Amino acid sequence: MSTSDSPVSSQRDGAIDSELGDFETLEQFILEQQDRFPHSTGAFSRLLRDISLAAKIVNRDMRKAGLIDIYGSTGETNVQGEVQQKMDALAHREFVLALRRGGECCLIGSEEHAEAIPLSTTSEGDGEYIVLLDPLDGSSNIDVCVSVGTIFSIYRLPDDYEKEEPELDAALQPGTEQVAAGYVVYGSSTMLVYTTGNGVNGFTLDPSIGEFLLSHPNLKTPDRGRIFSINAGYYNSFDGGLRDYLDWLQETDAESNRPAKTRYIGSFVSDFHRNLIKGGIYMYPATQGSPSGKLRLMYEANPMAFIAEEAGGRATDGYTRILEKQPEKLHQRTPLYIGSADMVRRAEAFLQGEPERV
Ligand code: AHG
Ligand code: MN
Ligand code: MN
């Protein structure tokens, strides 16, 4: 029997084939998308490449977090008065560095920096994109090996923008103006999921070759799921309509597949990602202590709302579509109800005192 006929080697060849498979790399995918626009300059493709590179670096650092001195807090609080973790600061630095080096971005807004950061661009021309990001979401989970993420939102510098150096006003655009949005989840595997308004695609990092490979093409979220994600510890400070909705979810009714299941990681990216794939609703409502909720409109709610809608889901603050909210501040907060369209609609109906509407 020749070596190639041996069962062992053909098994191995099969494994190798499926490993190589038809997987497309993120870079190939981006270039393919770019080719669909004949006048594209490639700037946007380069911007996505810069973001994915920073994500790989953050991923590398995160995987070593317990072994090198990047656990724990920096001893600083960020602009929201929250304790800054060392990984928050590191991830912020990596993204700023990659975007600065890449030259396609002219302004960054980051959770970890009080002001918008203008980037001096290269001699080849000015970057025309604005990137808003939560460099590390769910960072209080790092020290205990729980999934965390990065969220990003991309806008174009308005054509009629007049200031020589862009300032925050250039970024204060409603979510409907996003040209792209995405997230990276550093979980049991690392995935980058993004949209440019033409569906949602997910790429899994193959650490052995350092490439994101298209593993979840054209992601769609179920209309109705069985999962609800909320910090129920704050139940007593929720609005009555929301409490009624939560009670309703926990009633038993086989026909509507209730009781629903609770899942709450405390990393928005991870909770959102799971619900996107399995079907569910994530809620971070207004509470008595935080009347505007906790999550930030511009770099948490907006990008995820864009992705949710592109996947067939829905995102509101209980009354208004997230993507239509006009931002006034970089670190503005908003209540958030996001996920499977039917579930979000029902949450809104309860909040608005008309639960029988859906
Ligand atoms: P970040 O780590 O970027 O500050 O975000 C934390 C957010 C979000 O990821 C998570 O869903 C939520 O805070 C958890 O807040 P609670 O502990 O109040 O539930
Ligand atoms: Mn966050
Ligand atoms: Mn964060």
Side-chain angles (χ1 to χ4, degrees), residues 78 80 82-83 88 111-112 134-141 149 151 230-231 234 264-271 282 284 294-296 299-300:
N78 67 15
Q80 354 266 327
E82 292 160 353
V83 177
D88 283 324
E111 180 187 348
E112 300 306 328
D134 179 352
L136 208 65
D137 172 71
S139 54
S140 64
N141 280 320
I151 313 174
I230 190 166
N231 189 335
Y234 306 140
Y264 189 74
I265 298 170
S267 278
F268 175 40
V269 170
S270 316
D271 280 309
Y282 174 95
Y284 208 111
K294 178 180 183 190
L295 298 190
R296 278 53 60 112
Y299 44 79
E300 291 181 315

PDB file of all heavy atoms in Angstrom, residues 78 80 82-83 88 111-112 134-141 149 151 230-231 234 264-271 282 284 294-296 299-300, ligand 1:
ATOM      1  N   ASN A  78     -11.567  56.123  34.430  1.00  0.00           N
ATOM      2  CA  ASN A  78     -11.719  56.756  33.121  1.00  0.00           C
ATOM      3  C   ASN A  78     -12.741  57.884  33.210  1.00  0.00           C
ATOM      4  O   ASN A  78     -13.248  58.198  34.290  1.00  0.00           O
ATOM      5  CB  ASN A  78     -12.058  55.722  32.036  1.00  0.00           C
ATOM      6  CG  ASN A  78     -13.430  55.101  32.210  1.00  0.00           C
ATOM      7  OD1 ASN A  78     -14.259  55.608  32.957  1.00  0.00           O
ATOM      8  ND2 ASN A  78     -13.665  53.993  31.529  1.00  0.00           N
ATOM      9  N   GLN A  80     -15.735  58.121  32.573  1.00  0.00           N
ATOM     10  CA  GLN A  80     -17.057  57.783  33.118  1.00  0.00           C
ATOM     11  C   GLN A  80     -16.985  57.512  34.621  1.00  0.00           C
ATOM     12  O   GLN A  80     -17.949  57.081  35.212  1.00  0.00           O
ATOM     13  CB  GLN A  80     -17.652  56.527  32.455  1.00  0.00           C
ATOM     14  CG  GLN A  80     -16.885  55.971  31.308  1.00  0.00           C
ATOM     15  CD  GLN A  80     -17.385  56.501  29.994  1.00  0.00           C
ATOM     16  OE1 GLN A  80     -18.578  56.748  29.888  1.00  0.00           O
ATOM     17  NE2 GLN A  80     -16.527  56.703  29.036  1.00  0.00           N
ATOM     18  N   GLU A  82     -15.249  55.144  35.886  1.00  0.00           N
ATOM     19  CA  GLU A  82     -15.134  53.709  36.108  1.00  0.00           C
ATOM     20  C   GLU A  82     -13.661  53.327  36.231  1.00  0.00           C
ATOM     21  O   GLU A  82     -12.795  53.935  35.598  1.00  0.00           O
ATOM     22  CB  GLU A  82     -15.766  52.943  34.937  1.00  0.00           C
ATOM     23  CG  GLU A  82     -17.267  53.125  34.879  1.00  0.00           C
ATOM     24  CD  GLU A  82     -17.864  52.808  33.519  1.00  0.00           C
ATOM     25  OE1 GLU A  82     -17.112  52.572  32.571  1.00  0.00           O
ATOM     26  OE2 GLU A  82     -19.096  52.834  33.417  1.00  0.00           O
ATOM     27  N   VAL A  83     -13.420  52.303  37.019  1.00  0.00           N
ATOM     28  CA  VAL A  83     -12.037  51.864  37.218  1.00  0.00           C
ATOM     29  C   VAL A  83     -11.467  51.388  35.883  1.00  0.00           C
ATOM     30  O   VAL A  83     -12.074  50.586  35.183  1.00  0.00           O
ATOM     31  CB  VAL A  83     -12.005  50.702  38.239  1.00  0.00           C
ATOM     32  CG1 VAL A  83     -10.593  50.178  38.412  1.00  0.00           C
ATOM     33  CG2 VAL A  83     -12.578  51.174  39.562  1.00  0.00           C
ATOM     34  N   ASP A  88      -7.734  47.687  29.497  1.00  0.00           N
ATOM     35  CA  ASP A  88      -8.467  48.790  28.846  1.00  0.00           C
ATOM     36  C   ASP A  88      -7.470  49.746  28.216  1.00  0.00           C
ATOM     37  O   ASP A  88      -7.604  50.165  27.063  1.00  0.00           O
ATOM     38  CB  ASP A  88      -9.263  49.615  29.882  1.00  0.00           C
ATOM     39  CG  ASP A  88     -10.538  48.947  30.350  1.00  0.00           C
ATOM     40  OD1 ASP A  88     -11.200  48.285  29.533  1.00  0.00           O
ATOM     41  OD2 ASP A  88     -10.883  49.121  31.536  1.00  0.00           O
ATOM     42  N   GLU A 111     -13.767  55.137  24.501  1.00  0.00           N
ATOM     43  CA  GLU A 111     -14.272  55.108  25.874  1.00  0.00           C
ATOM     44  C   GLU A 111     -13.175  55.485  26.866  1.00  0.00           C
ATOM     45  O   GLU A 111     -13.448  56.063  27.915  1.00  0.00           O
ATOM     46  CB  GLU A 111     -14.798  53.708  26.213  1.00  0.00           C
ATOM     47  CG  GLU A 111     -15.328  53.632  27.630  1.00  0.00           C
ATOM     48  CD  GLU A 111     -15.699  52.234  28.093  1.00  0.00           C
ATOM     49  OE1 GLU A 111     -15.763  51.324  27.264  1.00  0.00           O
ATOM     50  OE2 GLU A 111     -15.933  52.080  29.293  1.00  0.00           O
ATOM     51  N   GLU A 112     -11.949  55.188  26.521  1.00  0.00           N
ATOM     52  CA  GLU A 112     -10.849  55.383  27.467  1.00  0.00           C
ATOM     53  C   GLU A 112     -10.167  56.737  27.336  1.00  0.00           C
ATOM     54  O   GLU A 112      -9.069  56.924  27.836  1.00  0.00           O
ATOM     55  CB  GLU A 112      -9.828  54.252  27.316  1.00  0.00           C
ATOM     56  CG  GLU A 112     -10.394  52.864  27.583  1.00  0.00           C
ATOM     57  CD  GLU A 112     -11.095  52.729  28.940  1.00  0.00           C
ATOM     58  OE1 GLU A 112     -10.691  53.404  29.898  1.00  0.00           O
ATOM     59  OE2 GLU A 112     -12.077  51.965  29.017  1.00  0.00           O
ATOM     60  N   ASP A 134     -15.085  51.235  21.714  1.00  0.00           N
ATOM     61  CA  ASP A 134     -14.920  50.737  23.071  1.00  0.00           C
ATOM     62  C   ASP A 134     -13.796  49.708  22.935  1.00  0.00           C
ATOM     63  O   ASP A 134     -14.033  48.590  22.478  1.00  0.00           O
ATOM     64  CB  ASP A 134     -16.232  50.083  23.539  1.00  0.00           C
ATOM     65  CG  ASP A 134     -16.115  49.519  24.945  1.00  0.00           C
ATOM     66  OD1 ASP A 134     -15.007  49.502  25.498  1.00  0.00           O
ATOM     67  OD2 ASP A 134     -17.160  49.084  25.480  1.00  0.00           O
ATOM     68  N   PRO A 135     -12.555  50.108  23.277  1.00  0.00           N
ATOM     69  CA  PRO A 135     -11.422  49.218  23.001  1.00  0.00           C
ATOM     70  C   PRO A 135     -11.561  47.867  23.691  1.00  0.00           C
ATOM     71  O   PRO A 135     -11.207  46.836  23.151  1.00  0.00           O
ATOM     72  CB  PRO A 135     -10.213  49.975  23.555  1.00  0.00           C
ATOM     73  CG  PRO A 135     -10.664  51.375  23.807  1.00  0.00           C
ATOM     74  CD  PRO A 135     -12.152  51.358  23.957  1.00  0.00           C
ATOM     75  N   LEU A 136     -12.081  47.903  24.916  1.00  0.00           N
ATOM     76  CA  LEU A 136     -12.273  46.643  25.627  1.00  0.00           C
ATOM     77  C   LEU A 136     -13.582  46.714  26.394  1.00  0.00           C
ATOM     78  O   LEU A 136     -13.731  47.523  27.307  1.00  0.00           O
ATOM     79  CB  LEU A 136     -11.110  46.410  26.586  1.00  0.00           C
ATOM     80  CG  LEU A 136     -10.876  44.940  26.809  1.00  0.00           C
ATOM     81  CD1 LEU A 136     -10.421  44.278  25.523  1.00  0.00           C
ATOM     82  CD2 LEU A 136      -9.819  44.747  27.858  1.00  0.00           C
ATOM     83  N   ASP A 137     -14.510  45.905  25.965  1.00  0.00           N
ATOM     84  CA  ASP A 137     -15.823  45.886  26.601  1.00  0.00           C
ATOM     85  C   ASP A 137     -15.908  44.697  27.546  1.00  0.00           C
ATOM     86  O   ASP A 137     -15.501  43.596  27.188  1.00  0.00           O
ATOM     87  CB  ASP A 137     -16.889  45.780  25.504  1.00  0.00           C
ATOM     88  CG  ASP A 137     -18.257  45.572  26.089  1.00  0.00           C
ATOM     89  OD1 ASP A 137     -18.792  46.521  26.678  1.00  0.00           O
ATOM     90  OD2 ASP A 137     -18.785  44.443  25.971  1.00  0.00           O
ATOM     91  N   GLY A 138     -16.446  44.964  28.724  1.00  0.00           N
ATOM     92  CA  GLY A 138     -16.581  43.883  29.711  1.00  0.00           C
ATOM     93  C   GLY A 138     -15.280  43.645  30.445  1.00  0.00           C
ATOM     94  O   GLY A 138     -15.022  42.546  30.948  1.00  0.00           O
ATOM     95  N   SER A 139     -14.460  44.705  30.547  1.00  0.00           N
ATOM     96  CA  SER A 139     -13.088  44.486  31.011  1.00  0.00           C
ATOM     97  C   SER A 139     -13.003  44.015  32.461  1.00  0.00           C
ATOM     98  O   SER A 139     -11.986  43.446  32.855  1.00  0.00           O
ATOM     99  CB  SER A 139     -12.243  45.737  30.802  1.00  0.00           C
ATOM    100  OG  SER A 139     -12.864  46.843  31.399  1.00  0.00           O
ATOM    101  N   SER A 140     -14.071  44.214  33.237  1.00  0.00           N
ATOM    102  CA  SER A 140     -13.989  43.725  34.617  1.00  0.00           C
ATOM    103  C   SER A 140     -13.992  42.193  34.640  1.00  0.00           C
ATOM    104  O   SER A 140     -13.753  41.581  35.668  1.00  0.00           O
ATOM    105  CB  SER A 140     -15.155  44.273  35.441  1.00  0.00           C
ATOM    106  OG  SER A 140     -16.356  43.772  34.924  1.00  0.00           O
ATOM    107  N   ASN A 141     -14.248  41.584  33.472  1.00  0.00           N
ATOM    108  CA  ASN A 141     -14.264  40.123  33.387  1.00  0.00           C
ATOM    109  C   ASN A 141     -12.913  39.494  33.060  1.00  0.00           C
ATOM    110  O   ASN A 141     -12.772  38.271  33.090  1.00  0.00           O
ATOM    111  CB  ASN A 141     -15.249  39.688  32.288  1.00  0.00           C
ATOM    112  CG  ASN A 141     -16.688  39.717  32.763  1.00  0.00           C
ATOM    113  OD1 ASN A 141     -16.972  39.327  33.890  1.00  0.00           O
ATOM    114  ND2 ASN A 141     -17.584  40.182  31.932  1.00  0.00           N
ATOM    115  N   GLY A 149     -14.602  41.958  24.755  1.00  0.00           N
ATOM    116  CA  GLY A 149     -14.681  42.310  23.336  1.00  0.00           C
ATOM    117  C   GLY A 149     -14.182  43.698  23.023  1.00  0.00           C
ATOM    118  O   GLY A 149     -13.745  44.445  23.907  1.00  0.00           O
ATOM    119  N   ILE A 151     -15.611  47.007  20.446  1.00  0.00           N
ATOM    120  CA  ILE A 151     -16.723  47.445  19.577  1.00  0.00           C
ATOM    121  C   ILE A 151     -16.242  48.649  18.786  1.00  0.00           C
ATOM    122  O   ILE A 151     -15.606  49.542  19.356  1.00  0.00           O
ATOM    123  CB  ILE A 151     -17.960  47.841  20.402  1.00  0.00           C
ATOM    124  CG1 ILE A 151     -18.295  46.789  21.470  1.00  0.00           C
ATOM    125  CG2 ILE A 151     -19.165  48.072  19.491  1.00  0.00           C
ATOM    126  CD1 ILE A 151     -19.423  47.187  22.418  1.00  0.00           C
ATOM    127  N   ILE A 230     -30.216  40.506  31.166  1.00  0.00           N
ATOM    128  CA  ILE A 230     -30.377  41.766  31.890  1.00  0.00           C
ATOM    129  C   ILE A 230     -29.778  41.573  33.274  1.00  0.00           C
ATOM    130  O   ILE A 230     -29.762  40.439  33.785  1.00  0.00           O
ATOM    131  CB  ILE A 230     -31.883  42.151  31.992  1.00  0.00           C
ATOM    132  CG1 ILE A 230     -32.049  43.576  32.529  1.00  0.00           C
ATOM    133  CG2 ILE A 230     -32.684  41.149  32.810  1.00  0.00           C
ATOM    134  CD1 ILE A 230     -33.453  44.152  32.335  1.00  0.00           C
ATOM    135  N   ASN A 231     -29.286  42.645  33.867  1.00  0.00           N
ATOM    136  CA  ASN A 231     -28.815  42.538  35.244  1.00  0.00           C
ATOM    137  C   ASN A 231     -30.020  42.641  36.174  1.00  0.00           C
ATOM    138  O   ASN A 231     -30.457  43.729  36.532  1.00  0.00           O
ATOM    139  CB  ASN A 231     -27.796  43.634  35.552  1.00  0.00           C
ATOM    140  CG  ASN A 231     -27.136  43.403  36.898  1.00  0.00           C
ATOM    141  OD1 ASN A 231     -27.706  42.753  37.770  1.00  0.00           O
ATOM    142  ND2 ASN A 231     -25.934  43.921  37.065  1.00  0.00           N
ATOM    143  N   TYR A 234     -30.911  44.649  39.570  1.00  0.00           N
ATOM    144  CA  TYR A 234     -31.470  46.003  39.689  1.00  0.00           C
ATOM    145  C   TYR A 234     -32.994  46.013  39.551  1.00  0.00           C
ATOM    146  O   TYR A 234     -33.594  47.073  39.364  1.00  0.00           O
ATOM    147  CB  TYR A 234     -30.874  46.919  38.608  1.00  0.00           C
ATOM    148  CG  TYR A 234     -29.348  46.974  38.558  1.00  0.00           C
ATOM    149  CD1 TYR A 234     -28.684  47.003  37.340  1.00  0.00           C
ATOM    150  CD2 TYR A 234     -28.584  46.996  39.726  1.00  0.00           C
ATOM    151  CE1 TYR A 234     -27.288  47.065  37.274  1.00  0.00           C
ATOM    152  CE2 TYR A 234     -27.189  47.048  39.668  1.00  0.00           C
ATOM    153  CZ  TYR A 234     -26.556  47.077  38.443  1.00  0.00           C
ATOM    154  OH  TYR A 234     -25.176  47.128  38.382  1.00  0.00           O
ATOM    155  N   TYR A 264     -26.630  36.113  31.378  1.00  0.00           N
ATOM    156  CA  TYR A 264     -26.050  37.455  31.497  1.00  0.00           C
ATOM    157  C   TYR A 264     -24.599  37.320  31.900  1.00  0.00           C
ATOM    158  O   TYR A 264     -24.281  36.939  33.019  1.00  0.00           O
ATOM    159  CB  TYR A 264     -26.825  38.284  32.532  1.00  0.00           C
ATOM    160  CG  TYR A 264     -26.422  39.753  32.551  1.00  0.00           C
ATOM    161  CD1 TYR A 264     -26.829  40.616  31.532  1.00  0.00           C
ATOM    162  CD2 TYR A 264     -25.647  40.277  33.577  1.00  0.00           C
ATOM    163  CE1 TYR A 264     -26.473  41.960  31.541  1.00  0.00           C
ATOM    164  CE2 TYR A 264     -25.284  41.619  33.601  1.00  0.00           C
ATOM    165  CZ  TYR A 264     -25.704  42.447  32.580  1.00  0.00           C
ATOM    166  OH  TYR A 264     -25.350  43.783  32.587  1.00  0.00           O
ATOM    167  N   ILE A 265     -23.720  37.619  30.941  1.00  0.00           N
ATOM    168  CA  ILE A 265     -22.289  37.482  31.190  1.00  0.00           C
ATOM    169  C   ILE A 265     -21.740  38.737  31.861  1.00  0.00           C
ATOM    170  O   ILE A 265     -20.820  38.685  32.666  1.00  0.00           O
ATOM    171  CB  ILE A 265     -21.551  37.213  29.852  1.00  0.00           C
ATOM    172  CG1 ILE A 265     -22.024  35.898  29.235  1.00  0.00           C
ATOM    173  CG2 ILE A 265     -20.043  37.182  30.062  1.00  0.00           C
ATOM    174  CD1 ILE A 265     -21.554  35.654  27.817  1.00  0.00           C
ATOM    175  N   GLY A 266     -22.329  39.887  31.487  1.00  0.00           N
ATOM    176  CA  GLY A 266     -21.795  41.155  31.984  1.00  0.00           C
ATOM    177  C   GLY A 266     -20.707  41.697  31.074  1.00  0.00           C
ATOM    178  O   GLY A 266     -19.984  42.622  31.420  1.00  0.00           O
ATOM    179  N   SER A 267     -20.597  41.105  29.889  1.00  0.00           N
ATOM    180  CA  SER A 267     -19.789  41.631  28.778  1.00  0.00           C
ATOM    181  C   SER A 267     -20.797  41.822  27.661  1.00  0.00           C
ATOM    182  O   SER A 267     -21.265  40.835  27.079  1.00  0.00           O
ATOM    183  CB  SER A 267     -18.786  40.605  28.267  1.00  0.00           C
ATOM    184  OG  SER A 267     -17.639  40.548  29.034  1.00  0.00           O
ATOM    185  N   PHE A 268     -21.105  43.063  27.358  1.00  0.00           N
ATOM    186  CA  PHE A 268     -22.141  43.319  26.348  1.00  0.00           C
ATOM    187  C   PHE A 268     -21.833  42.582  25.044  1.00  0.00           C
ATOM    188  O   PHE A 268     -22.705  41.935  24.459  1.00  0.00           O
ATOM    189  CB  PHE A 268     -22.248  44.837  26.144  1.00  0.00           C
ATOM    190  CG  PHE A 268     -23.183  45.273  25.060  1.00  0.00           C
ATOM    191  CD1 PHE A 268     -24.400  44.654  24.858  1.00  0.00           C
ATOM    192  CD2 PHE A 268     -22.835  46.350  24.232  1.00  0.00           C
ATOM    193  CE1 PHE A 268     -25.265  45.087  23.855  1.00  0.00           C
ATOM    194  CE2 PHE A 268     -23.691  46.776  23.237  1.00  0.00           C
ATOM    195  CZ  PHE A 268     -24.897  46.144  23.037  1.00  0.00           C
ATOM    196  N   VAL A 269     -20.588  42.670  24.585  1.00  0.00           N
ATOM    197  CA  VAL A 269     -20.237  42.028  23.311  1.00  0.00           C
ATOM    198  C   VAL A 269     -20.589  40.539  23.350  1.00  0.00           C
ATOM    199  O   VAL A 269     -21.191  40.007  22.418  1.00  0.00           O
ATOM    200  CB  VAL A 269     -18.731  42.186  22.986  1.00  0.00           C
ATOM    201  CG1 VAL A 269     -18.337  41.317  21.808  1.00  0.00           C
ATOM    202  CG2 VAL A 269     -18.386  43.636  22.700  1.00  0.00           C
ATOM    203  N   SER A 270     -20.221  39.884  24.428  1.00  0.00           N
ATOM    204  CA  SER A 270     -20.432  38.431  24.492  1.00  0.00           C
ATOM    205  C   SER A 270     -21.912  38.102  24.607  1.00  0.00           C
ATOM    206  O   SER A 270     -22.404  37.157  23.977  1.00  0.00           O
ATOM    207  CB  SER A 270     -19.677  37.843  25.684  1.00  0.00           C
ATOM    208  OG  SER A 270     -18.388  38.382  25.754  1.00  0.00           O
ATOM    209  N   ASP A 271     -22.628  38.878  25.425  1.00  0.00           N
ATOM    210  CA  ASP A 271     -24.071  38.652  25.545  1.00  0.00           C
ATOM    211  C   ASP A 271     -24.759  38.897  24.194  1.00  0.00           C
ATOM    212  O   ASP A 271     -25.636  38.144  23.776  1.00  0.00           O
ATOM    213  CB  ASP A 271     -24.670  39.588  26.606  1.00  0.00           C
ATOM    214  CG  ASP A 271     -24.434  39.073  28.020  1.00  0.00           C
ATOM    215  OD1 ASP A 271     -24.747  37.892  28.286  1.00  0.00           O
ATOM    216  OD2 ASP A 271     -23.935  39.839  28.859  1.00  0.00           O
ATOM    217  N   TYR A 282     -31.121  41.545  24.682  1.00  0.00           N
ATOM    218  CA  TYR A 282     -30.233  42.108  25.698  1.00  0.00           C
ATOM    219  C   TYR A 282     -30.831  43.442  26.120  1.00  0.00           C
ATOM    220  O   TYR A 282     -31.233  44.241  25.263  1.00  0.00           O
ATOM    221  CB  TYR A 282     -28.825  42.325  25.110  1.00  0.00           C
ATOM    222  CG  TYR A 282     -27.902  43.049  26.065  1.00  0.00           C
ATOM    223  CD1 TYR A 282     -27.035  42.356  26.901  1.00  0.00           C
ATOM    224  CD2 TYR A 282     -27.920  44.445  26.154  1.00  0.00           C
ATOM    225  CE1 TYR A 282     -26.210  43.024  27.793  1.00  0.00           C
ATOM    226  CE2 TYR A 282     -27.100  45.124  27.045  1.00  0.00           C
ATOM    227  CZ  TYR A 282     -26.254  44.400  27.866  1.00  0.00           C
ATOM    228  OH  TYR A 282     -25.444  45.071  28.750  1.00  0.00           O
ATOM    229  N   TYR A 284     -30.264  46.848  28.706  1.00  0.00           N
ATOM    230  CA  TYR A 284     -29.659  47.642  29.783  1.00  0.00           C
ATOM    231  C   TYR A 284     -30.513  48.884  29.921  1.00  0.00           C
ATOM    232  O   TYR A 284     -30.340  49.864  29.217  1.00  0.00           O
ATOM    233  CB  TYR A 284     -28.179  47.978  29.569  1.00  0.00           C
ATOM    234  CG  TYR A 284     -27.528  48.152  30.933  1.00  0.00           C
ATOM    235  CD1 TYR A 284     -26.608  47.244  31.420  1.00  0.00           C
ATOM    236  CD2 TYR A 284     -27.947  49.189  31.767  1.00  0.00           C
ATOM    237  CE1 TYR A 284     -26.090  47.372  32.708  1.00  0.00           C
ATOM    238  CE2 TYR A 284     -27.431  49.311  33.059  1.00  0.00           C
ATOM    239  CZ  TYR A 284     -26.513  48.404  33.514  1.00  0.00           C
ATOM    240  OH  TYR A 284     -26.020  48.521  34.790  1.00  0.00           O
ATOM    241  N   LYS A 294     -26.658  52.646  31.194  1.00  0.00           N
ATOM    242  CA  LYS A 294     -25.209  52.633  31.415  1.00  0.00           C
ATOM    243  C   LYS A 294     -24.424  52.664  30.097  1.00  0.00           C
ATOM    244  O   LYS A 294     -23.363  53.251  30.017  1.00  0.00           O
ATOM    245  CB  LYS A 294     -24.839  51.360  32.183  1.00  0.00           C
ATOM    246  CG  LYS A 294     -23.353  51.234  32.427  1.00  0.00           C
ATOM    247  CD  LYS A 294     -23.007  49.961  33.192  1.00  0.00           C
ATOM    248  CE  LYS A 294     -21.511  49.905  33.493  1.00  0.00           C
ATOM    249  NZ  LYS A 294     -21.120  48.598  34.015  1.00  0.00           N
ATOM    250  N   LEU A 295     -24.980  52.003  29.081  1.00  0.00           N
ATOM    251  CA  LEU A 295     -24.187  51.832  27.865  1.00  0.00           C
ATOM    252  C   LEU A 295     -24.101  53.127  27.074  1.00  0.00           C
ATOM    253  O   LEU A 295     -24.973  53.984  27.144  1.00  0.00           O
ATOM    254  CB  LEU A 295     -24.770  50.705  27.014  1.00  0.00           C
ATOM    255  CG  LEU A 295     -24.769  49.334  27.689  1.00  0.00           C
ATOM    256  CD1 LEU A 295     -25.135  48.246  26.701  1.00  0.00           C
ATOM    257  CD2 LEU A 295     -23.423  49.022  28.329  1.00  0.00           C
ATOM    258  N   ARG A 296     -23.008  53.266  26.336  1.00  0.00           N
ATOM    259  CA  ARG A 296     -22.739  54.496  25.600  1.00  0.00           C
ATOM    260  C   ARG A 296     -23.318  54.396  24.192  1.00  0.00           C
ATOM    261  O   ARG A 296     -23.166  53.378  23.506  1.00  0.00           O
ATOM    262  CB  ARG A 296     -21.220  54.751  25.543  1.00  0.00           C
ATOM    263  CG  ARG A 296     -20.610  55.406  26.764  1.00  0.00           C
ATOM    264  CD  ARG A 296     -20.879  54.763  28.108  1.00  0.00           C
ATOM    265  NE  ARG A 296     -20.431  53.400  28.271  1.00  0.00           N
ATOM    266  CZ  ARG A 296     -19.468  53.001  29.068  1.00  0.00           C
ATOM    267  NH1 ARG A 296     -18.828  53.869  29.820  1.00  0.00           N
ATOM    268  NH2 ARG A 296     -19.142  51.724  29.183  1.00  0.00           N
ATOM    269  N   TYR A 299     -20.389  54.357  20.928  1.00  0.00           N
ATOM    270  CA  TYR A 299     -19.460  53.254  20.633  1.00  0.00           C
ATOM    271  C   TYR A 299     -19.903  51.930  21.233  1.00  0.00           C
ATOM    272  O   TYR A 299     -19.153  50.962  21.212  1.00  0.00           O
ATOM    273  CB  TYR A 299     -18.019  53.627  21.041  1.00  0.00           C
ATOM    274  CG  TYR A 299     -17.892  54.298  22.389  1.00  0.00           C
ATOM    275  CD1 TYR A 299     -17.931  53.556  23.552  1.00  0.00           C
ATOM    276  CD2 TYR A 299     -17.754  55.682  22.487  1.00  0.00           C
ATOM    277  CE1 TYR A 299     -17.820  54.152  24.789  1.00  0.00           C
ATOM    278  CE2 TYR A 299     -17.639  56.301  23.724  1.00  0.00           C
ATOM    279  CZ  TYR A 299     -17.676  55.536  24.871  1.00  0.00           C
ATOM    280  OH  TYR A 299     -17.580  56.138  26.094  1.00  0.00           O
ATOM    281  N   GLU A 300     -21.113  51.879  21.798  1.00  0.00           N
ATOM    282  CA  GLU A 300     -21.646  50.575  22.216  1.00  0.00           C
ATOM    283  C   GLU A 300     -22.994  50.330  21.516  1.00  0.00           C
ATOM    284  O   GLU A 300     -23.158  49.372  20.766  1.00  0.00           O
ATOM    285  CB  GLU A 300     -21.783  50.516  23.739  1.00  0.00           C
ATOM    286  CG  GLU A 300     -20.426  50.496  24.438  1.00  0.00           C
ATOM    287  CD  GLU A 300     -20.480  50.420  25.962  1.00  0.00           C
ATOM    288  OE1 GLU A 300     -21.273  51.152  26.582  1.00  0.00           O
ATOM    289  OE2 GLU A 300     -19.699  49.656  26.547  1.00  0.00           O
TER     290      GLU A 300
HETATM  291  P1  AHG B   1     -17.062  48.385  29.798  1.00  0.00           P
HETATM  292  O1  AHG B   1     -16.240  47.239  30.322  1.00  0.00           O
HETATM  293  O2  AHG B   1     -16.672  48.776  28.397  1.00  0.00           O
HETATM  294  O3  AHG B   1     -17.120  49.558  30.747  1.00  0.00           O
HETATM  295  O4  AHG B   1     -18.574  47.887  29.629  1.00  0.00           O
HETATM  296  C1  AHG B   1     -19.207  47.209  30.662  1.00  0.00           C
HETATM  297  C2  AHG B   1     -20.663  47.181  30.349  1.00  0.00           C
HETATM  298  C3  AHG B   1     -21.122  46.026  29.465  1.00  0.00           C
HETATM  299  O5  AHG B   1     -20.148  45.317  28.817  1.00  0.00           O
HETATM  300  C4  AHG B   1     -21.888  45.136  30.382  1.00  0.00           C
HETATM  301  O6  AHG B   1     -22.953  44.534  29.738  1.00  0.00           O
HETATM  302  C5  AHG B   1     -22.330  46.055  31.481  1.00  0.00           C
HETATM  303  O7  AHG B   1     -21.367  47.051  31.554  1.00  0.00           O
HETATM  304  C6  AHG B   1     -22.439  45.364  32.798  1.00  0.00           C
HETATM  305  O8  AHG B   1     -22.888  46.273  33.736  1.00  0.00           O
HETATM  306  P2  AHG B   1     -23.533  45.805  35.120  1.00  0.00           P
HETATM  307  O9  AHG B   1     -22.401  45.250  35.926  1.00  0.00           O
HETATM  308  O10 AHG B   1     -24.130  47.049  35.698  1.00  0.00           O
HETATM  309  O11 AHG B   1     -24.586  44.773  34.801  1.00  0.00           O
END
